[in-house]
């Protein structure tokens, strides 16, 4: 028996024959002319319009993930190098440490700030404490001990939490002496060489802020922390990297970064009408003409939430805050003279979280829509529905492979 005969025998008895037969199945046509058994009606139309609208929206956000990857590699030559110049005389710097009920980590934070390698006469450190528990006593005692040792640190406690973190930063800024402001949250450990590696980038008078990369002390603590670390790695490496290299707007992450004081003031200062005051100020400052830098090689260790409820609360706050910021910032940005690609990337960045409610709508419509589409023919589902669905799923996976911001 020849090879061709064996192949024909295999095809005749294999699932391939069954699959081909199903592709050309005439169950839903009538007569030799193939008149359709199914006719589109009003109910199906009303169902399919929102179904395809949601698919197209989610597919657009999914394709945006491809754009970020493409941009990251397209502009790889724009990776930031060492500063072009260095200050002949170092400027004065203020380190702000906003905390709220962080009694277990405040000592570590403050001690790391006091170990920073920078002339003492050009440095002042503010511990901005809005705590309402025993953190107040712990923090005050720590600051008093280190101040007695000669470190330039002061303790600032507010009786009210007006404006929350934004309010604390604004209050500290009123008494800050530095031309540049470095900000660190309570769950960070400040590298001793942080200021020496970052401050010289501000020799460029157009630089308003620089953001460094987060690393994680408890990455391997649990499955939850490993997942969070992976998500945030994607955000810092891919998203920040792509936007910074392409000259698009990107955001200060609220910590592990340094601002030029004038850039804060030109952007309108810290405002607390959104939950993501850092992103809000970032966009306002960049619209005022300031440039931002991202330094992926400067790593700042931090701790991740180890409880699922803390993680969920954090993600909910970031998601709501970005939507609030988009409603506040995007109308102004679209009216500005910023390039189109900057406006487009800002739209995808700030509105990314609308994917979640759209995915709920899609999951509700999916089953009835698939029934209708089945009767309309398999070929349409393959070349219309399947590609759109795959792009929308890439949006979901891509969103889950990052953090905020």
């Amino acid at each position: 028996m020849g090879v061709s005969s064996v192949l024909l025998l295999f095809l005749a008895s294999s699932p391939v024959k069954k699959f081909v037969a199903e592709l050309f199945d005439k169950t839903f046509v009538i007569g030799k002319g193939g008149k359709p058994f199914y006719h589109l009606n009003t109910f199906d139309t009303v169902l399919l319009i929102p179904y395809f609208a949601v698919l197209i929206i989610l597919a657009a956000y999914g394709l945006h993930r491809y754009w970020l990857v493409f941009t990251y590699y397209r502009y790889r030559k724009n990776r930031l190098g060492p500063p072009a110049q260095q200050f002949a005389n170092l400027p004065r710097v203020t380190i702000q440490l906003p905390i709220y009920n962080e009694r277990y980590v405040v000592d570590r934070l403050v001690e790391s700030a006091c170990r920073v390698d920078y002339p003492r006469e050009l440095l002042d450190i503010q511990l901005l404490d809005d705590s309402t528990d025993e953190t107040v006593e712990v923090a005050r005692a720590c600051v008093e001990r280190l101040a007695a040792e000669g470190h330039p640190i002061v303790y600032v406690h507010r009786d009210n939490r007006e404006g929350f973190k934004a309010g604390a930063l604004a209050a500290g800024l009123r008494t800050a002496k530095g031309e540049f402001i470095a900000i660190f949250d309570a769950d960070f450990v400040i590298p001793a060489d942080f200021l020496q590696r970052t401050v010289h980038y501000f020799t460029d008078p157009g630089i308003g802020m620089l953001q460094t990369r987060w690393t994680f002390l408890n990455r391997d603590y649990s499955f939850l922390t490993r997942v969070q670390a992976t998500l945030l790695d994607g955000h810092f490496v891919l998203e920040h990297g792509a936007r910074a290299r392409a000259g698009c707007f990107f955001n200060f992450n609220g910590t592990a970064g340094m601002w030029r004081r004038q850039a804060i003031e030109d952007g309108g200062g810290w405002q607390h009408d959104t939950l993501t005051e850092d992103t809000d100020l970032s966009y306002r400052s960049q619209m005022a003409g300031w440039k931002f830098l991202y330094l992926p090689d400067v790593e700042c260790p931090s701790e991740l939430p180890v409880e699922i409820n803390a993680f969920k609360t954090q993600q909910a706050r970031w998601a709501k805050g970005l939507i609030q910021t988009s409603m506040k910032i995007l109308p102004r940005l679209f009216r500005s003279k910023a390039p189109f690609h900057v406006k487009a990337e800002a739209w995808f960045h700030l509105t990314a979280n609308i994917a979640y409610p759209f995915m709920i709508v899609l999951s509700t419509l999916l089953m009835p829509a698939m029934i209708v589409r089945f009767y309309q023919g398999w070929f349409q589902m393959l070349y219309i529905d399947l590609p759109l669905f795959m792009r929308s799923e890439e949006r979901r996976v891509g969103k889950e492979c990052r953090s905020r911001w």
Side-chain angles (χ1 to χ4, degrees), residues 348-360:
F348 281 107
H349 178 200
L350 296 179
T351 64
N353 291 288
I354 65 172
Y356 292 128
F358 275 122
M359 283 189 286
I360 295 174

Side-chain angles (χ1 to χ4, degrees), residues 35-79:
K35 184 179 179 181
F37 175 78
Y38 169 80
H39 293 277
L40 185 68
N41 56 46
T42 303
F43 174 82
D44 293 348
T45 303
V46 172
L47 177 68
L48 291 177
I49 288 176
Y51 165 72
F52 278 114
V54 170
L55 268 185
I56 291 170
I57 292 171
L58 291 177
Y61 282 94
L63 290 171
H64 174 250
R65 314 310 297 179
Y66 283 116
W67 184 89
L68 283 176
V69 174
F70 171 75
T71 301
Y72 180 81
Y73 287 103
R74 179 185 180 186
Y75 294 101
R76 57 186 177 274
K77 294 182 179 179
N78 292 347
R79 181 183 176 88

